[in-house]
Amino acid sequence: MKALHRRIAAAVLVASLLVLLVPVTAVAATKTYRFSISGTEVSATSTTGRFVGAASGSALGTWYAEVVHVPLSGGDGAQVAIQSGGSFGMALDQAEPAYVVSGQFSRGTITTISSGTNCKNQVYEVDGDLRNVSVTGTGHFAAKLTHHRRSVLGRCWLYAATVSGTVTLG
């Protein structure tokens, strides 16, 4: 009977050590990847912006993002919430961190830097947290969105929308 108790005690000890050591090892192995991004807004509604572009840094590639948010309102300095569920992805030229990266926005804010009075460019700061990132679990998206506008025959026209910033995975 003593031998059985020793085996049980040894198994409990090994299991306890695994529980304590495995998370530390997993945390120590987590790597951070940083990318500079640039691109364009390809479609927008009052509550969703879709973006595509190029990425460089930890690897070269392309990226896309679909940012779901509360309708934009207010003047300079106004903030609205990024809602959970929008998507993020990258296609990279190498296997480190992965050829394909996917994730979702979990929360964040969009801040109006310049509301574009008198048909000037509108500028927004997009600052969002990422979850369920396929290679690291979490990430962060930080970019400046500029709506380029011109007055033509007394009307204000949006003719392009560009975005630049950073993505951090990990």
Side-chain angles (χ1 to χ4, degrees), residues 66-119:
E66 179 182 70
V67 180
V68 179
H69 56 84
V70 173
L72 299 173
S73 63
D76 295 356
Q79 281 191 338
V80 299
I82 293 174
Q83 297 177 326
S84 180
S87 59
F88 173 80
M90 299 179 88
L92 302 173
D93 71 339
Q94 62 187 36
E96 177 72 23
Y99 286 116
V100 177
V101 177
S102 62
Q104 300 158 336
F105 283 87
S106 60
R107 66 174 180 234
T109 57
I110 299 173
T111 304
T112 303
I113 304 303
S114 174
S115 58
T117 55
N118 298 320
C119 202

Side-chain angles (χ1 to χ4, degrees), residues 76 111-116 121-125 144-147:
D76 295 356
T111 304
T112 303
I113 304 303
S114 174
S115 58
N121 291 344
Q122 296 171 316
V123 181
Y124 303 93
E125 182 179 281
K144 179 174 83 169
L145 166 64
T146 303
H147 288 164

Side-chain angles (χ1 to χ4, degrees), residues 19-39:
V19 167
L20 291 174
L21 294 178
V22 169
V24 171
T25 304
V27 169
T30 300
K31 190 171 179 183
T32 301
Y33 303 94
R34 289 183 177 79
F35 300 91
S36 294
I37 59 167
S38 61

